[in-house]
Amino acid sequence: MTSILQCIDCKEQYPIDRVMYTCEACGGLLDVVHDMDYLRHTVSRELFDQRLGTLEPPYNSGVWRYKELIYPDVEARTIISRPEGNTNLYPVPRLAEWVGVKTLFLKHEGENPTGSFKDRGMTGGLTQARVLGMKRVACASTGNTSASLASYAALGGLEGVVFFQDKQIALGKLAQSVAYGATGIQVSADFDRNLELVREVATKLGIYVLNSVNPFRLEGQKSIIFEMIQQFRWKTPDWIVVPGGNLGNSSAFGKALSELYELKLIDRIPRVAIIQAEGANPLYRSFVKEFEEFEPMHAETLATAIKIGNPVNYAKAVRTIHLTDGMVEQVSDQEILDAKALIDRQGIGCEPASACSLVGTKKLVEKGIIKPHETVVGILTGHILKDPDVVLKYHSGTLADIKAAYPNKLHQSEPSADAIRNILENTGTQ
Ligand SMILES: *Cc1c(COP(=O)(O)O)cnc(C)c1O
Ligand SMILES: [Zn+2]
């Protein structure tokens, strides 16, 4: 029943305990491939339902509840888990109306222990680091990967090394990495260059790379789909809409759906829509040319979590689009921040990149691709407190090139009841 590593292009196979990220024969990305015949006789909806609400590790984790589908062979005591997952699926009728569908849910991955979905991948990646006997782990990051790596490395007693670009890192993320004790290195280069550097340094120094090129991270991230579908009592929505940066999440979604379908845990495959920022849209550009070419680009967007111009998981994301009859859409920073303000105002909140899911849905409804009667789940990838700077600048109208459609301006008052009454009488209930 042993799982193996397999190249997605030439199908060359490698043992699961090899330290490698891409195929030695052709350079292709690797999948962790499980023994599906074994799983067919082992997993069932009932098995996963029985584990709901358990206090027992590792099954109390929203990742390891599905251990057989994530890493069947790993010993429970090797697993490094906070635990993660078990995030809410919010019905949002007012936002459904805004985007133009009858039924919209938001699954909030910002509710993970370090505030982003990256924890679901990191528990898989750090666990594999321990299986391999690695002492140091590293990543390049737009922020959330580092925060998550730093936390899980500390928990597992490994040294975490995180590479950042030296500007435009959201404050909450940088603070987390420092606080959790990772060795932080600021490099005057963008994310894409930093990722190249990490891979180079890691090979030379024997450090384990935990960017999403690492297939064990994607195994953990599949659990977003498993958990969502279990929350729907094993029914599938029509659409799953997700922001796309390095395309790890969207890649994991395709693999998760194909495995659930193959194991007959679902009876149809939902469509996946990947939403990119206009200034960081290499997948979108390739999509409109039917994936005939792919060109890396220089990325610019206020949604820093998806400011990536050369997504490492491009080929796997294309596989997801083909498997699910999916779509790729792009949205502007203006649209992202206004949509974020609406999500925040529901009392839910998210970081800028996450709002792609909402406004991307609206665009696809306007184009007639998502139909009003279809059920949509948008993924909120990160927590509202990750990037407080953008929030305050948006609401005070001080972001360059952004005109806030839903500002909530702070009021200034003298310390007198009359002055305060004046303010409240002029604001009214909104
Ligand atoms: C990492 C991240 C993304 C992008 O996810 P990919 O898997 O790289 O496409 C989107 N939103 C947030 C908040 C993130 O942290
Ligand atoms: Zn290969």
Side-chain angles (χ1 to χ4, degrees), residues 49-329:
D49 284 347
Q50 277 164 20
R51 290 177 184 164
L52 279 176
T54 183
L55 300 174
E56 287 307 310
Y59 302 119
N60 57 349
S61 155
V63 175
W64 298 102
R65 178 181 313 127
Y66 314 98
K67 179 172 180 291
E68 291 79 0
L69 302 179
I70 307 284
Y71 199 161
D73 292 332
V74 80
E75 284 182 58
R77 63 187 165 82
T78 310
I79 293 173
I80 303 175
S81 169
R82 294 244 347 217
E84 46 294 308
N86 292 311
T87 61
N88 285 302
L89 184 63
Y90 294 96
V92 280
R94 283 176 294 205
L95 296 177
E97 199 177 314
W98 185 72
V99 304
V101 295
K102 223 172 107 213
T103 318
L104 175 70
F105 291 84
L106 295 175
K107 183 156 176 64
H108 206 326
E109 289 300 303
E111 295 173 348
N112 273 289
T114 77
S116 82
F117 74 80
K118 300 298 196 301
D119 294 344
R120 290 190 188 255
M122 218 40 91
T123 184
L126 255 301
T127 296
Q128 180 64 5
R130 194 180 255 175
V131 168
L132 298 170
M134 307 298 280
K135 300 282 181 276
R136 271 171 156 181
V137 292
C139 69
S141 178
T142 61
N144 280 331
T145 304
S146 315
S148 185
L149 179 145
S151 164
Y152 281 78
L155 192 67
L158 285 83
E159 183 190 349
V161 184
V162 297
F163 287 54
F164 293 108
Q165 52 197 320
D166 56 356
K167 51 180 189 290
Q168 260 206 330
I169 291 279
L171 203 60
K173 308 176 187 182
L174 186 59
Q176 278 180 297
S177 303
V178 172
Y180 291 133
T183 304
I185 303 176
Q186 290 197 305
V187 184
S188 55
D190 63 6
F191 170 83
D192 299 296
R193 176 69 187 126
N194 268 317
L195 182 51
E196 288 171 5
L197 279 171
V198 166
R199 291 178 70 173
E200 192 182 328
V201 172
T203 312
K204 289 185 176 144
L205 301 182
I207 303 174
Y208 194 50
V209 177
L210 283 175
N211 278 98
S212 57
V213 66
N214 185 311
F216 293 91
R217 271 198 47 201
L218 302 199
E219 287 307 290
Q221 285 168 212
K222 290 188 315 192
S223 66
I224 298 173
I225 296 294
F226 300 156
E227 191 176 278
M228 170 209 304
I229 289 177
Q230 189 173 26
Q231 284 168 313
F232 280 123
R233 313 287 191 276
W234 303 101
K235 292 194 186 60
T236 46
D238 296 298
W239 286 91
I240 298 165
V241 185
V242 61
N246 218 8
L247 304 175
N249 232 8
S250 36
S251 298
F253 287 12
K255 187 166 189 282
L257 291 167
S258 109
E259 290 170 354
L260 289 179
Y261 188 73
E262 191 178 339
L263 294 168
K264 298 195 164 48
L265 293 169
I266 55 174
D267 46 27
R268 60 168 195 155
I269 294 186
R271 299 177 74 181
V272 173
I274 305 172
I275 315 298
Q276 295 205 296
E278 279 176 4
N281 63 352
L283 181 71
Y284 175 79
R285 291 180 189 208
S286 175
F287 171 76
V288 296
K289 293 183 185 153
E290 282 158 15
F291 299 125
E292 269 163 22
E293 50 187 88
F294 170 70
E295 244 183 89
M297 62 186 286
H298 174 74
E300 278 305 334
T301 167
L302 287 170
T304 52
I306 49 173
K307 201 179 123 189
I308 293 175
N310 189 14
V312 68
N313 287 299
Y314 169 77
K316 286 184 175 177
V318 172
R319 188 172 67 173
T320 294
I321 295 297
H322 286 147
L323 172 85
T324 70
D325 188 20
M327 286 295 301
V328 185
E329 186 52 272

Side-chain angles (χ1 to χ4, degrees), residues 7-12 14 23-28:
C7 173
I8 69 166
D9 295 326
C10 76
K11 310 295 174 199
E12 183 76 26
Y14 304 92
C23 176
E24 283 170 4
C26 79

